Amino acid sequence: MNNIKDTERFFLANLIDSPVRISTGEKAGKVVDFILLLGDKFPKLSHAVVQMEKSKERFLVRRDQFQNIGSGGISLIADVSQLSRLDEVPDQVLLKNIWDKQIMDTSDARVVRVNDLEIAEVKGDLRLVGVDIGFRGLIRRLGFERWLCPILDRFKVNTQNEIISWDIVESVPTNFSHLKLTVPSKLIKDLHPADLADILDDLSVHEGLSLIKSLDTETAAETLAEAEAETQAQIIEQMSLERASDILEEMEPDEAADILQDLDHKKADEILSHMETEEATEVRELLKHPENTAGGLMSTGFATVYEEFTVGEAFSHLRLMAVDLEIIYYLYVMDRQEKLKGVVSIRDLIVANPSATIVSIMNDKLIFVSADTRQEEVANLISKYNLLALPVLDEDGLILGIVTIDDVIELLLNHMPRMWKRRALTS
Amino acid sequence: MISFWERNKVRLLLLLSVLGPGLITATVDNDSGGIATYSLAGALFGYDLLWTLIPITILLVVTMEMSARLGAVTGQGLADLLRERFGVKVTFWLLLIVFLANFGTVVSEFSGIASSIDIFGNTIGYPVAFGWLKFFVVPLLTYGLWKLITEYDYKKIEKFFLFSIFFYFAYPISAYLAEPNWGESLKALVVPVWKFDAAYIFTMIGVIGTTITPWMQFYLQSTLIEKGVTTKNWQTAKWDVILGCLTTDVISYFIIVACAVTLFFNKGGMHIPVQTIDDIGKALVPLAGKYSGYLFAFGLFNASLFGAAILPLSTAFAICEGLGWERGMSKTYEEAPLFYWIFSFLLISGAALVLIPGVSFLYLFVMRISQVAQGLILPPFIYFLVKLGDDKTLLGEYVNPPWLSRFSWLCVIILTLIDFILLGSTIREIIF
């Protein structure tokens, strides 16, 4: 199996309808399908399904009952009377069922459609080794390969096969699919949530829902947080209240608030009432601010220290707090009335003498916004002053939350004219 | 009273939140080809084709509901479902005929735009100047549409279209201004008239083809999915679809009546020969006044523009979906080249064809023939649609109930028969 590169390969489209010859060399029928035994990395084709010319009956031919596979057909070694009929098959997978289905390409994190299947002969066994998703596979399936490909080649149209190895594809989880290829598996678990989110955006709501259901709550939360706003709302809306609230609890409050903002109020309230009180309160607080303002963007997890702390004390304080925080680039310095006095970056802390006071190293030229500042202005400030985060203050100078750079990066991208964005993304 | 409002407020809000797909789709239904076909149905046969509207409406509701239901339950587009259930060959050939018929329809949308400019020019009294103006306006509009669709958020464009639905009130107004005999027209709605005459059957298939089109089913299903309609909010979405179907045919009724009164039953009782769409405009002016000419031109322009914006996009989307190519305006050209090629080809060649000098006399013909083509491809398309709707493994409890299944199969048979009758009578006319 390691050297499958050297073996002979076939496309299913070329094998289907190829002639079946009996021992005298006479044509007796045609190949109509294969039986797939799932389980191996590259699953074995245990039988060919053939249809006899005269009787129109379908028979199963074990691998050791035929030879010479190829577009020229197969030759039976066994006598027709030794073959078992198709209706005696236990529930195995017919190979042709995989044609035209959607699959997940886990290496590129995308959903593609199967045009054809590639089969290899490895040590006498036929195995399913790849999925053809390319243009040529489509042409082959339509039966145009013989005349269309030479023409396209002449016009230098690329008609290469585009084959994905079978061991890196995953079936699309759906309630309606007949084909349960493998268990939602390690492949999926190993994907980065951002890649999973790409796949999620490609799937229909139902399929996406099944995908999310197969993940643990933490991965589900991370995946959903990375997905497009529309996908997020549609999926959360379809979930049970318990599951939805579990997932939202797992997210950063600002991300949870973003999603809830896109749902209708009744649904959002129901989900909130199912969430843990503490998380729900934070999210409710964030929901008070309109989506397109600093208040709508900000998150409430940030690190604070009091002005009389020394650098050493600040460090040990940070060590305690850091576990639960989204970002720790900045420590916000407050007086005992909780008013914001200045800001210290991690870099400032690292280079400072541990016994120095925070006040002596903090930056008191504060750049901040109020909760109702428009998001475009927030983005401008962050990019102008090269900040990683920006505090949001109320009228009394108390800190409400912070807007981080990754909250506005997406905004900057989305507000770019489409053509620029395309260039930026493709170059 | 207040409690009634309170009780229904939630329901009303729910309806508004999913309102759109059904109504928009149904409105695009009355595009240039629709207006031309209905106008001619009235102009050539008076009220004789009105009776077809009721069966057509029923068929429209049945098919639209079915594809909307398929979308809501499976979350997949129609082309996706066709591909998974019937394989690549069926999908390819179906999409090919849909593409050809839609290409004709895109040309017909641009014919509509060009015609409306001609009619406007005739009405205002400067036909030659407006004949030239067309050569600037059509490319400009095409460029504008291309730019609008590729660079801006499609959702915003859709909202604008939802607003433009109000322009369709032009037709009930023109019908009212034409002072028809309402009693007669309502009676004609329920009394069938049958003529074994190629022109009659041709127009009838045009009326069917312009009302029930495969591309609308593709479009409806994909917009429903995009809106996130699932079995949970299906009941509300269903009413949006049905409401849309009813609206479209009420408008059709008014178009037929308006044209029947002014062109078929006009005062002297003399039938005005209608050869080009211009003739309809010209005929309307002396009979129903200058404003009805403007109104007609404006309505036609609006409808055609609406169709020209949606059709290339939805066709490209369906083809790429069925053949498994990257698609959608959220993808870049590098990611989805074929999508952009198909879309741009349809839009640009549609516009270019109507600007070939000297073809303006063909506009009406193109508008009619494209609708007849849509009618001719309908039977195979509905055959597969009903098969999907009957598929219990696909739809579960939402599968077609037995009565609906039987009724749908009856419709497929009748539509196929009508197609063959058209072919038969056309051949007969050519030979004899």
Side-chain angles (χ1 to χ4, degrees):
Chain A
M1 194 107 88
N2 295 327
N3 56 351
I4 53 173
K5 288 221 163 71
D6 315 323
T7 56
E8 205 174 343
R9 291 172 174 234
F10 316 96
F11 284 109
L12 183 61
N14 291 333
L15 298 181
I16 298 296
D17 287 341
S18 65
V20 175
R21 294 176 199 285
I22 51 175
S23 44
T24 56
E26 202 181 331
K27 187 176 173 237
K30 59 179 184 182
V31 178
V32 290
D33 211 334
F34 290 89
I35 304 275
L36 188 68
L37 273 183
L38 291 173
D40 289 346
K41 189 172 163 199
F42 295 104
K44 202 193 279 188
L45 311 188
S46 62
H47 298 79
V49 181
V50 302
Q51 183 174 348
M52 289 305 155
E53 215 153 48
K54 291 195 189 95
S55 60
K56 299 287 167 210
E57 281 177 309
R58 292 184 170 201
F59 292 97
L60 285 175
V61 189
R62 265 203 327 271
R63 181 64 191 97
D64 58 359
Q65 292 172 322
F66 67 89
Q67 58 185 17
N68 297 341
I69 186 159
S71 50
I74 62 172
S75 313
L76 291 186
I77 308 171
D79 194 72
V80 178
S81 60
Q82 290 174 303
L83 303 176
S84 46
R85 276 172 213 275
L86 178 67
D87 45 60
E88 292 162 24
V89 197
D91 53 338
Q92 280 149 319
V93 178
L94 287 170
L95 195 55
K96 244 163 62 178
N97 280 347
I98 306 176
W99 267 354
D100 303 318
K101 297 295 186 296
Q102 283 192 310
I103 49 150
M104 288 192 256
D105 168 3
T106 55
S107 69
D108 274 359
R110 58 182 178 159
V111 177
V112 288
R113 204 170 273 288
V114 178
N115 285 334
D116 203 354
L117 295 169
E118 196 186 31
I119 295 158
E121 194 166 8
V122 189
K123 293 178 194 151
D125 281 333
L126 291 176
R127 288 181 185 273
L128 174 58
V129 292
V131 172
D132 188 353
I133 59 160
F135 193 43
R136 199 181 184 103
L138 194 67
I139 295 171
R140 190 183 316 113
R141 284 287 307 288
L142 290 169
F144 300 159
E145 195 175 22
R146 194 165 295 168
W147 61 268
L148 189 56
C149 285
I151 299 173
L152 290 176
D153 287 342
R154 179 154 303 172
F155 289 102
K156 302 212 159 42
V157 178
N158 183 12
T159 54
Q160 293 278 304
N161 288 313
E162 205 179 330
I163 298 193
I164 308 174
S165 177
W166 180 257
D167 59 337
I168 59 165
V169 306
E170 188 69 54
S171 65
V172 167
T174 123
N175 305 328
F176 309 101
S177 167
H178 296 304
L179 126 129
K180 299 266 185 288
L181 294 178
T182 40
V183 230
S185 67
K186 238 186 121 283
L187 285 176
I188 296 289
K189 287 191 192 120
D190 289 347
L191 281 176
H192 189 279
D195 286 333
L196 276 173
D198 278 348
I199 291 184
L200 196 66
D201 289 332
D202 275 352
L203 293 173
S204 71
V205 185
H206 303 70
E207 294 159 344
L209 207 55
S210 321
L211 178 67
I212 287 289
K213 271 181 192 158
S214 74
L215 304 171
D216 61 80
T217 313
E218 198 189 331
T219 323
E222 285 172 31
T223 304
L224 216 49
E226 296 282 339
E228 279 168 25
E230 226 164 280
T231 317
Q232 294 175 332
Q234 288 176 0
I235 290 205
I236 288 288
E237 214 157 81
Q238 299 295 322
M239 267 180 195
S240 69
L241 283 176
E242 286 71 27
R243 178 83 171 138
S245 54
D246 284 350
I247 289 180
L248 290 181
E249 270 170 32
E250 197 67 39
M251 285 184 189
E252 295 299 329
D254 59 324
E255 282 162 351
D258 277 352
I259 296 181
L260 288 173
Q261 216 136 27
D262 291 337
L263 300 181
D264 66 64
H265 289 300
K266 206 168 141 240
K267 184 86 187 176
D269 275 343
E270 281 173 357
I271 296 177
L272 276 169
S273 62
H274 269 77
M275 283 168 69
E276 300 281 332
T277 331
E278 195 186 327
E279 273 92 352
T281 322
E282 269 184 68
V283 175
R284 280 215 175 86
E285 200 57 44
L286 290 173
L287 277 174
K288 283 181 192 156
H289 306 287
E291 216 171 342
N292 52 4
T293 62
L297 287 175
M298 71 185 181
S299 46
T300 46
F302 49 88
T304 52
V305 286
Y306 289 110
E307 52 188 346
E308 67 268 21
F309 279 23
T310 63
V311 170
E313 281 167 337
F315 258 126
S316 43
H317 181 67
L318 184 61
R319 244 174 240 124
L320 289 177
M321 292 180 75
V323 188
D324 293 328
L325 294 179
E326 189 186 350
I327 61 150
I328 53 160
Y329 313 124
Y330 297 127
L331 278 86
Y332 294 97
V333 186
M334 306 186 300
D335 63 13
R336 281 291 164 186
Q337 278 75 49
E338 313 275 306
K339 267 191 176 171
L340 187 65
K341 287 293 174 191
V343 62
V344 175
S345 71
I346 286 276
R347 175 200 289 268
D348 297 336
L349 279 188
I350 290 171
V351 297
N353 185 332
S355 58
T357 58
I358 288 290
V359 181
S360 67
I361 63 161
M362 78 177 184
N363 180 355
D364 55 3
K365 289 193 197 70
L366 277 172
I367 305 192
F368 63 91
V369 289
S370 61
D372 56 5
T373 308
R374 291 194 53 80
Q375 54 181 1
E376 287 77 12
E377 202 184 326
V378 178
N380 268 337
L381 286 174
I382 287 186
S383 87
K384 183 176 169 193
Y385 293 102
N386 295 322
L387 300 172
L388 296 170
L390 185 65
V392 182
L393 302 187
D394 69 2
E395 306 93 75
D396 304 324
L398 303 186
I399 182 164
L400 295 170
I402 56 168
V403 180
T404 59
I405 185 162
D406 47 312
D407 293 329
V408 291
I409 268 192
E410 227 151 285
L411 178 84
L412 286 171
L413 273 176
N414 286 342
H415 278 257
M416 252 189 224
R418 279 267 289 279
M419 279 304 184
W420 291 10
K421 185 173 150 192
R422 274 185 202 157
R423 266 176 227 144
L425 289 176
T426 46
S427 62
Chain B
M1 196 61 201
I2 288 164
S3 73
F4 173 81
W5 164 243
E6 282 300 320
R7 246 184 299 132
N8 287 289
K9 198 166 80 178
V10 178
R11 199 173 298 167
L12 189 72
L13 287 176
L14 264 175
L15 183 67
L16 284 176
S17 71
V18 289
L19 201 65
L23 208 56
I24 290 182
T25 314
T27 314
V28 204
D29 200 358
N30 284 327
D31 59 353
S32 64
I35 292 168
T37 310
Y38 297 131
S39 304
L40 275 173
L44 297 173
F45 300 101
Y47 292 158
D48 284 357
L49 275 163
L50 273 180
W51 69 274
T52 57
L53 282 181
I54 288 177
I56 286 175
T57 308
I58 296 170
L59 190 57
L60 182 68
V61 172
V62 165
T63 51
M64 294 276 269
E65 189 271 347
M66 209 178 292
S67 53
R69 178 153 42 93
L70 281 164
V73 177
T74 64
Q76 284 185 298
L78 198 48
D80 266 337
L81 292 175
L82 287 170
R83 176 81 188 265
E84 292 201 357
R85 291 283 140 169
F86 307 113
V88 71
K89 280 188 189 159
V90 165
T91 312
F92 175 81
W93 292 111
L94 264 184
L95 287 174
L96 186 71
I97 56 173
V98 167
F99 173 80
L100 292 176
N102 286 5
F103 179 63
T105 309
V106 174
V107 179
S108 111
E109 307 298 357
F110 280 101
S111 302
I113 293 175
S115 301
S116 66
I117 297 169
D118 284 347
I119 297 171
F120 199 78
N122 283 332
T123 316
I124 216 165
Y126 297 102
V128 182
F130 276 79
W132 281 106
L133 191 66
K134 189 162 83 178
F135 289 92
F136 297 99
V137 175
V138 172
L140 210 66
L141 281 172
T142 312
Y143 177 75
L145 280 178
W146 192 87
K147 200 88 179 145
L148 203 68
I149 293 168
T150 50
E151 304 228 329
Y152 293 90
D153 192 357
Y154 181 68
K155 297 240 166 58
K156 283 179 197 146
I157 307 173
E158 206 169 53
K159 276 194 194 116
F160 169 74
F161 285 145
L162 200 56
F163 171 74
S164 80
I165 285 172
F166 290 105
F167 294 137
Y168 285 89
F169 285 116
Y171 298 103
I173 296 171
S174 354
Y176 176 78
L177 289 177
E179 296 170 10
N181 182 336
W182 294 107
E184 281 284 306
S185 73
L186 288 174
K187 198 181 133 206
L189 214 47
V190 288
V191 181
V193 179
W194 178 260
K195 293 177 180 168
F196 195 78
D197 159 35
Y200 185 78
I201 300 166
F202 187 83
T203 310
M204 189 160 100
I205 291 190
V207 171
I208 298 171
T210 194
T211 317
I212 308 159
T213 55
W215 72 266
M216 275 167 44
Q217 322 267 336
F218 284 107
Y219 177 73
L220 175 69
Q221 196 165 331
S222 61
T223 41
L224 272 179
I225 295 161
E226 214 151 275
K227 275 230 161 187
V229 174
T230 61
T231 48
K232 282 193 185 164
N233 41 11
W234 162 237
Q235 284 306 326
T236 340
K238 185 162 109 180
W239 285 107
D240 166 48
V241 171
I242 294 173
L243 190 72
C245 293
L246 296 179
T247 314
T248 191
D249 284 337
V250 168
I251 303 272
S252 313
Y253 163 81
F254 284 117
I255 300 176
I256 295 180
V257 169
C259 287
V261 174
T262 42
L263 301 169
F264 190 78
F265 306 118
N266 68 70
K267 275 117 195 165
M270 178 184 68
H271 298 179
I272 294 173
V274 181
Q275 293 303 329
T276 69
I277 191 111
D278 255 11
D279 293 343
I280 299 178
K282 275 187 202 137
L284 283 172
V285 177
L287 295 170
K290 216 165 187 177
Y291 288 104
S292 74
Y294 290 135
L295 214 56
F296 184 81
F298 185 68
L300 183 63
F301 180 79
N302 169 55
S304 308
L305 197 65
F306 201 173
I310 287 185
L311 234 143
L313 195 61
S314 102
T315 309
F317 199 89
I319 290 175
C320 292
E321 181 180 287
L323 299 182
W325 297 330
E326 295 276 353
R327 62 197 170 273
M329 281 301 162
S330 57
K331 298 276 187 338
T332 65
Y333 170 76
E334 284 79 8
E335 289 171 313
L338 288 162
F339 175 74
Y340 281 86
W341 270 108
I342 298 172
F343 159 73
S344 306
F345 168 80
L346 283 172
L347 191 67
I348 294 164
S349 59
L353 280 177
V354 302
L355 288 182
I356 297 171
V359 295
S360 52
F361 71 96
L362 279 173
Y363 290 162
L364 184 62
F365 178 71
V366 169
M367 284 187 240
R368 288 186 76 193
I369 201 86
S370 69
Q371 305 310 306
V372 176
Q374 296 280 5
L376 285 173
I377 68 170
L378 205 54
F381 178 79
I382 295 190
Y383 170 83
F384 287 106
L385 181 70
V386 178
K387 274 191 98 158
L388 284 173
D390 278 350
D391 193 330
K392 190 136 188 30
T393 49
L394 193 67
L395 291 174
E397 56 175 311
Y398 289 92
V399 72
N400 289 344
W403 68 267
L404 183 60
S405 172
R406 258 177 254 135
F407 177 77
S408 312
W409 285 116
L410 186 69
C411 292
V412 174
I413 294 167
I414 293 173
L415 285 174
T416 317
L417 278 178
I418 298 177
D419 274 11
F420 279 116
I421 293 172
L422 174 70
L423 287 178
S425 56
T426 313
I427 292 167
R428 201 180 67 159
E429 260 176 39
I430 293 167
I431 295 172
F432 302 107

